[in-house]
Amino acid sequence: MDPRDLLPMGEITRRSGFAASAIRYYEAEGLIEADRSSGGQRRFERNVLRRLAFIRAASNVGLTIGEIRDELSRLPDNRTPTKADWHRISRHWRQRLDDQIAALERLKSGLDGCIGCGCLSLRSCAFSNPGDVLDQRGPGAGLLPDTLRRPHPTRR
Amino acid sequence: MDPRDLLPMGEITRRSGFAASAIRYYEAEGLIEADRSSGGQRRFERNVLRRLAFIRAASNVGLTIGEIRDELSRLPDNRTPTKADWHRISRHWRQRLDDQIAALERLKSGLDGCIGCGCLSLRSCAFSNPGDVLDQRGPGAGLLPDTLRRPHPTRR
DNA sequence: CCTTGAACTCAAGTTCACTTCAACTTGAAC
DNA sequence: GTTCAAGTTGAAGTGAACTTGAGTTCAAGG
């Protein structure tokens, strides 16, 4: 491939909006690939910009780096996603967003139910939902899906 | 106050569902208070259970510890929230939840708009939204409110 | 050749909300 | 008086997703 078609780091950061450190991180994590110049500097193929756009979109939807890697690994490396690829993926993402929205709606209606009573009772109020009323999967269990649970450290 | 009315740690963890370490953390952070036994063990007033229910609810809504501290500091210490307190607060929380829901809806319709085109274009696709199209407040700027932005480390 | 900005590496730091650990001390029951 | 579950402290660790810093090298223009 003609080396003039390869983009240096500066170009990538400018055009993708990611910091150089993030780009290097994504490479280290295997989300993107980079060639090297004779002197060891990164030279990116143009399709990396597409992958980065995909990464940003996925991360907006709330996917973790690991999940993004999985999705990307299902796209043959040098192919831009076909309509079929994109359709499958976007259905998946849409479902996630729907789940998150539904969870927030549930939370809101719990809240609405509490406005009248001012209770916040430990035993009966589903909104504040302590450990002995519902199960023990962590704060918010039963009301929030994993994707919205504030990522608690070392959740066993 | 009659010391028999004070609850030991075990009682609090059992009835609130929080781990002892979390309780101690909340005390250190100034979200709750504790008396001490002659030997130095924590003894909690009953209203602490209410505060803990409040903390769990707030954290379900996505408030940070700092924000929760602020809300709590507006409740006079030894008073359980009045209807007016609770009304004010729940209106605030409701607004947050509405914002979050709206943001996810926007994201979803961006996604829907992309399904047909399969584009994910860096220049024109609002969904993948790179830095040079919208502003630079961080990944997802313009689409996600701060409350849903995946908390990035060291966000300057 | 010289300068200068862009890029490199590797280790360590950051934030949040806790948890875990090690090494004690308390306190209620028997 | 002994036992032992329950409680204490302070320091360090956790995970995610990067960022920061120090010190070094590259590459393009003049």
Side-chain angles (χ1 to χ4, degrees):
Chain A
M1 178 175 284
D2 188 339
R4 274 168 306 184
D5 287 347
L6 296 178
L7 309 171
M9 185 56 107
E11 195 83 4
I12 293 286
T13 59
R14 251 189 343 89
R15 295 177 59 173
S16 73
F18 284 107
S21 57
I23 303 285
R24 285 190 276 262
Y25 175 69
Y26 292 146
E27 192 200 357
E29 289 296 309
L31 302 196
I32 56 175
E33 287 183 2
D35 296 330
R36 295 301 178 127
S37 75
S38 57
Q41 299 193 352
R42 285 172 186 77
R43 290 299 122 99
F44 299 91
E45 289 181 27
R46 217 155 266 280
N47 67 54
V48 165
L49 284 173
R50 236 160 216 293
R51 285 175 87 90
L52 287 172
F54 185 94
I55 290 169
R56 190 185 300 278
S59 124
N60 280 348
V61 175
L63 304 207
T64 65
I65 293 287
E67 291 168 325
I68 296 173
R69 182 175 29 229
D70 290 350
E71 292 272 32
L72 282 171
S73 73
R74 262 177 258 139
L75 299 175
D77 262 3
N78 296 319
R79 190 183 84 197
T80 52
T82 63
K83 277 212 164 150
D85 289 330
W86 181 233
H87 201 266
R88 170 176 54 75
I89 290 164
S90 61
R91 229 181 20 232
H92 176 190
W93 290 6
R94 193 183 213 297
Q95 185 58 57
R96 275 182 85 108
L97 291 175
D98 280 337
D99 291 348
Q100 293 179 25
I101 290 168
L104 291 177
E105 295 284 7
R106 276 199 303 281
L107 206 50
K108 189 153 72 94
S109 66
L111 181 58
D112 287 348
C114 280
I115 292 180
C117 70
C119 63
L120 223 53
S121 152
L122 278 170
R123 315 220 134 275
S124 62
C125 180
F127 178 58
S128 99
N129 171 34
D132 51 10
V133 173
L134 293 182
D135 67 333
Q136 288 284 27
R137 297 193 301 134
L143 287 172
L144 293 173
D146 283 337
T147 51
L148 280 182
R149 222 64 74 58
R150 193 177 287 257
H152 280 306
T154 9
R155 170 110 45 62
R156 44 133 205 120
Chain B
M1 176 174 285
D2 188 338
R4 274 168 307 183
D5 287 347
L6 297 177
L7 309 172
M9 186 55 110
E11 195 83 4
I12 293 285
T13 58
R14 252 188 342 91
R15 295 178 58 172
S16 72
F18 284 108
S21 56
I23 303 286
R24 286 191 276 263
Y25 175 69
Y26 292 146
E27 192 199 358
E29 288 296 309
L31 302 196
I32 56 176
E33 287 182 0
D35 296 330
R36 295 299 178 129
S37 74
S38 58
Q41 298 193 354
R42 286 174 184 78
R43 291 299 122 100
F44 299 92
E45 289 180 28
R46 217 155 267 279
N47 67 55
V48 165
L49 285 172
R50 235 159 217 293
R51 285 176 87 90
L52 288 171
F54 185 94
I55 290 170
R56 190 187 298 281
S59 125
N60 281 348
V61 175
L63 304 207
T64 65
I65 294 287
E67 291 168 324
I68 296 174
R69 183 175 29 230
D70 290 350
E71 291 272 33
L72 282 170
S73 73
R74 263 176 258 140
L75 298 176
D77 261 3
N78 297 318
R79 191 184 82 197
T80 53
T82 63
K83 276 210 166 152
D85 290 330
W86 182 231
H87 201 268
R88 171 176 54 75
I89 290 164
S90 60
R91 229 181 20 233
H92 176 188
W93 289 7
R94 193 184 212 296
Q95 185 58 58
R96 273 182 85 106
L97 290 175
D98 281 337
D99 290 349
Q100 293 179 24
I101 290 167
L104 291 178
E105 296 282 8
R106 277 198 303 281
L107 206 51
K108 189 154 73 96
S109 66
L111 182 58
D112 288 349
C114 281
I115 292 179
C117 69
C119 63
L120 222 53
S121 151
L122 277 171
R123 312 221 136 273
S124 61
C125 180
F127 178 58
S128 96
N129 171 33
D132 50 10
V133 172
L134 293 182
D135 66 334
Q136 289 284 25
R137 296 191 304 135
L143 286 173
L144 292 174
D146 284 337
T147 51
L148 279 182
R149 221 68 70 58
R150 193 178 286 256
H152 280 307
T154 7
R155 171 114 42 61
R156 43 142 202 111

